[in-house]
């Protein structure tokens, strides 16, 4: 089983309540309850309107710091709600790393709904990327796993294909080899979400309610985020998504081939590392089928 990595710190309910009392006493009387743990963070719900995210591993503390530094300004004018911090908790004697209070979204985790319903999210997701994909300053947060050339992930994907966890490994390997020689993004590094699969999207009332979890935020090739065309949608949704995007993406004739390569890469991650998360495993499986059944798709 590919279980979650062990937590370096177990932030239990009592500790989190103490943190809130220490740094946000005005919220200390709100109901506090666990909402689960992810790969990087403990998640708690605070009252009806807020969530608390605390790194559970030392390696995730820097990701939280990146979100706190950059996200409030970057998302101030995007047309979709996000998990940008509304309060930036600081390290203290109680807890050694930055932690955040964010908005709580009461909609549906998109990974838990049938993929054929996601076409209604296409315009909202495109609108988010049209606004978020802007040139980044030189000191943007580096991410060795997202935003760079596909060749940087070549060996990692092959290891996953050899693991036995990825179906149709031979065909996937052929497609992976084909995308390795594609020309690089010719423009400046653009801000990227970095992990734009359906479990990081929230829907409500047949629309995109929020984009969440910017832990992989970086800058680079926008094809990394455009992989969402396969990670979230069926063919109809992909067409609607592309039609709603701005014309800047059409200036690079290879961007969609690289985007499909990134979708393939991320699908293998979800398949090889989500035995304990059936929803994410299904996202990986469905994404792979979208790529394999439409590998000559032009949309």
């Amino acid at each position: 089983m590919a279980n979650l990595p062990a937590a370096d710190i177990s932030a239990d309910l009592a500790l989190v309540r103490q943190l809130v009392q220490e740094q946000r006493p005005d919220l200390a009387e709100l109901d506090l309850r666990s909402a689960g743990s992810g790969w990087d963070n403990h998640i708690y719900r605070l009252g009806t309107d807020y969530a608390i995210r605390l790194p559970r591993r030392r390696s995730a503390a820097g990701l939280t710091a990146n979100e706190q530094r950059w996200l409030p300004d970057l998302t101030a004018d995007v047309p979709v709600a996000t998990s940008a911090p509304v309060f930036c908790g600081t390290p203290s004697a109680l807890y050694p790393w930055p932690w955040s209070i964010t908005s709580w979204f009461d909609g549906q985790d998109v990974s838990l709904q049938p993929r054929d319903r996601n076409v209604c999210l296409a315009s909202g997701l495109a609108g988010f990327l049209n606004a978020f994909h802007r040139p980044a300053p030189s000191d943007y947060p580096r991410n060795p796993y997202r935003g760079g050339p596909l060749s940087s992930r070549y060996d990692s994907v092959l290891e996953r294909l050899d693991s036995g966890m990825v179906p149709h490994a031979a065909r996937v390997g052929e497609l992976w080899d084909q995308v390795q020689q594609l020309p690089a993004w010719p423009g400046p590094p653009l801000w990227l979400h970095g992990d734009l699969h359906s479990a990081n999207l929230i829907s409500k009332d047949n629309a995109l309610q929020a984009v969440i979890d910017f832990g992989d935020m970086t800058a680079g090739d926008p094809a990394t985020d455009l992989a969402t065309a396969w990670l979230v949608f069926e063919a109809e949704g992909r067409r609607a998504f592309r039609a709603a995007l701005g014309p800047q993406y059409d200036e690079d004739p290879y961007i969609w081939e690289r985007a499909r390569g990134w979708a393939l890469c991320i699908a293998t991650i979800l398949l090889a590392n989500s035995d304990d998360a059936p929803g994410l495993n299904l996202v990986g499986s469905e994404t792979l089928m979208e790529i394999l059944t439409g590998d000559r798709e032009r949309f």
Side-chain angles (χ1 to χ4, degrees), residues 133 136 140 146-148 185 187-192 218-224:
H133 281 173
Y140 69 82
R146 305 292 166 91
W185 166 244
L190 302 185
W191 279 110
L192 306 174
T218 186
D221 181 0
T224 310

Side-chain angles (χ1 to χ4, degrees), residues 189-204:
L190 302 185
W191 279 110
L192 306 174
H193 177 282
D195 199 26
L196 206 56
H197 57 68
S198 53
N200 288 332
L201 305 176
I202 306 295
S203 66
K204 185 176 182 180

